[in-house]
């Protein structure tokens, strides 16, 4: 348990632990072991320098988390270097510094046991990211390859991974996932476990590695990098033979998860068809997950995985009430497989959300469930009718207005958004795709830049939360300071008043999801003509993010009424934009 917890702590936080331990060691060991003055005084200066670094980095890294523990640790660390200033009685201090050493041992143990997911980690939620669907299908004109395509057809002579990453960054995206291997089995990296890969293609005379090119481009443009490795492989002869294919799949997983730096997401779908031998494979998901957790412990395992679920359609449709807390059975990849596309057809890509899947998390839906899971949703959609590039679809690219609508409903509806951008045969994105994505990025940046809540008179009912915080904490988009109602109080009112009227376009609400998802019903009111309050809209869930269309109303007063929640609501942010 301790080792597992230790692996989840970031490198920066581990550095803080090591530094504080070293400070203590410099102080108490110089006395306890009776080291000479020639070592004691240098240890003081070294220790003092490290102490200053600790204060600086603890404040930046923890940002309020475990503040008291950190402060006492730093005080103790500092006290442990003071004796180096003079020759204190070692016989007395040997006991004292024995205590210091014990204290640090206990603190280290306590930290590993209690330092779970940092609230700041939630601030790094990748809300919008892109897919790059690219393989032999791009050259054959198909969506699902058969696995018998010759490697010689794959030759993107102008491939530009930097253009992919640059477009994603300009589109307001924070990550990029590459289809390293689709169902056809062709690998975009020179895998040592198959000949059906880029190493036997004309691309860069067989010396290319598109996975590496993409990972490096993502790093250059500040994007997180993810991989998609299809479990279904229509080329490999071991497919359908149980452990033999599982070994093959794990070997390829290992290549991707150890040779290309940090991976933020491992994307898996539920497709499971026949291989070249006519057999189907029963995937050893448990083994796959264990390898993923071991090699990339910070990576999210999506769709046919335990961390993120599919929204249920590829048309960009989102549930009116999207709950992240659902029945634990939903995490079973077999359920994802049942809902997933099992054959190549356009009808599935345009199919709306199944009516039987519209409610996954209401009280009524979960009433008889014994086990629940925090299993948030992801909206997956392609910028074109197909997921791979087809020249005949050049006039069917999603418009900026349509992309904006999908963004507001998905990211603004408690799901993340994964937008597919398929490169052309030459390895570049089509100019129309690039332009529309760039317009989306400009909309996101320009619209949600200046928060009018910052200049409003902000009041709440109740006036203070259980920590003594006022509503002012809601102006800052952060999870270390939240507004938490007292237990049993499931209602909250937030009022914002301005000195003059403003035309308001969007309201952004966020729950503090380290406390899970709680709000079940809320309404938005505004001061209309002659100051009379009118209800603008009402809704149900908020989750990690809810974007409410304020319809361009002109007002100097806005009120949000949290009318019901499963338990006392905990909000982290309120934003108003014009």
């Amino acid at each position: 348990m301790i080792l597992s917890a230790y692996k989840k702590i970031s490198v920066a936080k581990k550095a803080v632990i090591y530094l504080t331990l070293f400070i203590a060691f410099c102080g108490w060991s110089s006395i306890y072991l009776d080291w000479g003055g020639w070592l004691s005084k240098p240890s003081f200066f070294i220790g003092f320098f490290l102490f200053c670094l600790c204060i600086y980095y603890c404040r930046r890294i923890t940002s309020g988390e475990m503040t008291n523990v950190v402060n006492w640790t730093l005080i103790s660390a500092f006290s442990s270097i003071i004796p180096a200033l003079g020759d204190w009685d070692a016989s007395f201090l040997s006991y004292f510094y024995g205590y210091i050493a014990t204290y640090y041992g206990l603190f280290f143990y306590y930290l590993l046991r209690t330092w779970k997911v940092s609230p700041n980690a939630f601030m790094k939620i990748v809300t919008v990211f892109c897919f790059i669907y690219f393989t032999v299908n791009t050259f054959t004109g198909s969506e699902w390859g058969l696995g018998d395509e010759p490697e010689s057809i794959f030759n993107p002579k102008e491939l530009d991974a930097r253009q992919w990453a640059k477009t994603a960054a300009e589109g307001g995206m924070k990550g990029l996932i590459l289809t390293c291997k689709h169902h056809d089995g062709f690998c975009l990296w020179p895998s040592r476990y198959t000949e059906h890969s880029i190493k036997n293609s004309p691309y860069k005379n067989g010396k290319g590695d598109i996975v590496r090119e993409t990972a490096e481009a993502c790093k250059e443009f500040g994007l997180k990098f993810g991989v998609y490795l299809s479990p279904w492989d229509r080329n490999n002869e071991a497919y359908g033979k149980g452990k033999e294919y599982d070994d093959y799949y794990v070997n390829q997983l290992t290549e991707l998860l150890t040779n290309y730096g940090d991976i933020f997401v491992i994307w898996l779908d539920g497709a499971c068809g026949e291989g070249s031998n006519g057999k189907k494979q029963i995937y050893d998901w448990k083994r796959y997950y264990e390898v993923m957790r071991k090699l990339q412990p910070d990576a999210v395992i999506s769709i046919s995985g335990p961390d993120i679920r599919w929204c249920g359609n590829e048309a960009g449709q989102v549930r009116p009430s999207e709950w992240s807390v659902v029945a634990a059975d939903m995490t079973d990849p077999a359920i994802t497989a049942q809902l997933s596309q099992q054959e190549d057809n356009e009808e599935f890509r345009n199919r709306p959300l199944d009516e039987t899947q519209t409610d996954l998390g209401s009280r009524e839906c979960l009433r008889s469930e014994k086990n629940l899971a925090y299993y948030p949703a992801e909206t997956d959609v392609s910028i074109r009718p197909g997921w791979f590039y087809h020249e005949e679809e050049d006039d069917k690219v999603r418009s900026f207005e349509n992309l904006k609508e999908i963004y507001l409903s998905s990211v603004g509806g408690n799901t993340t958004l994964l937008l597919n951008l398929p490169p052309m045969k030459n390895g570049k994105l089509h100019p129309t795709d690039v332009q529309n994505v760039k317009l989306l990025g400009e909309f996101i940046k320009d619209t949600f830049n200046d928060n009018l809540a910052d200049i409003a008179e902000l009041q709440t009912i109740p006036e203070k939360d259980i920590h003594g915080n006022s509503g002012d904490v809601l102006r800052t988009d952060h999870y270390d300071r939240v507004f938490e109602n007292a237990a049993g109080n499931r209602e909250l009112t937030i009022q914002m008043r301005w000195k003059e009227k403003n035309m308001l376009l969007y309201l952004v609400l966020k729950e503090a999801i380290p406390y899970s998802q709680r709000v079940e019903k809320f309404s938005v009111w505004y001061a209309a003509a002659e100051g009379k309050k009118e209800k603008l809209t009402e809704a149900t869930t908020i989750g990690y993010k809810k974007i409410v269309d304020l319809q361009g109303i002109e007002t100097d007063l806005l009120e949000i009424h949290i009318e019901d929640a499963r338990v006392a609501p905990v909000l982290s942010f309120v934003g108003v934009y014009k």
Side-chain angles (χ1 to χ4, degrees), residues 393-458:
E393 295 177 351
D394 283 351
D395 61 346
K396 300 177 182 178
V397 178
R398 291 185 185 274
S399 66
F400 155 66
E401 289 296 333
N402 182 242
L403 293 178
K404 181 178 77 170
E405 180 183 349
I406 292 174
Y407 171 85
L408 292 172
S409 63
S410 59
V411 175
N414 193 39
T415 82
T416 57
L417 173 59
L418 177 57
L419 177 64
N420 178 53
L421 306 175
M424 300 181 289
K425 291 180 181 180
N426 64 1
K428 290 185 175 182
L429 299 175
H430 191 279
T432 303
D433 302 37
V434 173
Q435 178 63 19
N436 291 355
V437 169
K438 185 176 180 179
L439 289 173
L440 175 63
E442 291 174 352
F443 164 76
I444 296 171
K445 181 179 179 181
D446 294 343
T447 303
F448 300 100
N449 187 35
D450 296 323
N451 184 4
L452 292 179
D454 291 340
I455 60 173
E457 178 187 344
L458 195 154

Side-chain angles (χ1 to χ4, degrees), residues 246-348:
D246 288 332
D247 290 344
Y248 171 77
Y249 187 77
V250 165
N251 285 334
Q252 291 200 320
L253 262 181
T254 302
E255 287 182 319
L256 291 175
L257 302 185
T258 57
N259 294 323
Y260 299 96
D262 291 337
I263 304 297
F264 90 99
V265 63
I266 304 165
W267 204 94
L268 309 166
D269 60 20
C272 181
E274 294 181 353
S276 58
N277 53 17
K279 296 181 179 180
K280 284 189 176 183
Q281 175 77 12
I282 299 177
Y283 304 135
D284 190 347
W285 292 112
K286 181 179 179 182
R287 182 182 175 192
Y288 302 165
Y289 297 159
E290 288 175 350
V291 173
M292 296 172 193
R293 296 295 193 214
K294 177 182 178 181
L295 299 180
Q296 291 284 344
D298 294 329
V300 171
I301 307 174
S302 291
I303 313 306
S304 283
D307 300 330
I308 301 291
R309 61 182 165 85
W310 180 45
C311 68
N313 70 99
E314 296 181 355
Q317 186 177 349
V318 180
R319 295 175 181 84
S321 302
E322 189 64 73
W323 282 99
S324 296
V325 179
V326 296
D329 292 343
M330 287 288 296
T331 62
D332 186 344
I335 293 180
T336 302
Q338 291 174 6
L339 299 173
S340 297
Q341 185 176 4
Q342 300 300 331
E343 61 179 348
D344 180 17
N345 64 74
E346 187 174 347
E347 180 183 354
F348 183 92

Side-chain angles (χ1 to χ4, degrees), residues 55-73:
I55 292 179
Y56 176 72
Y57 283 109
C58 269
R59 288 295 183 187
R60 289 193 60 181
I61 294 168
T62 63
S63 296
E65 180 191 18
M66 294 179 61
T67 300
N68 291 333
V69 175
V70 170
N71 286 344
W72 279 111
T73 302

Side-chain angles (χ1 to χ4, degrees), residues 196-222:
H196 195 47
S197 81
I198 196 172
K199 67 185 179 184
N200 290 316
S201 76
Y203 179 65
K204 293 189 175 181
N205 297 317
K207 303 298 182 182
D209 185 342
I210 295 176
V211 177
R212 187 169 306 283
E213 290 181 51
T214 308
E216 291 174 352
C218 286
K219 186 176 182 180
E220 178 182 350
F221 288 94

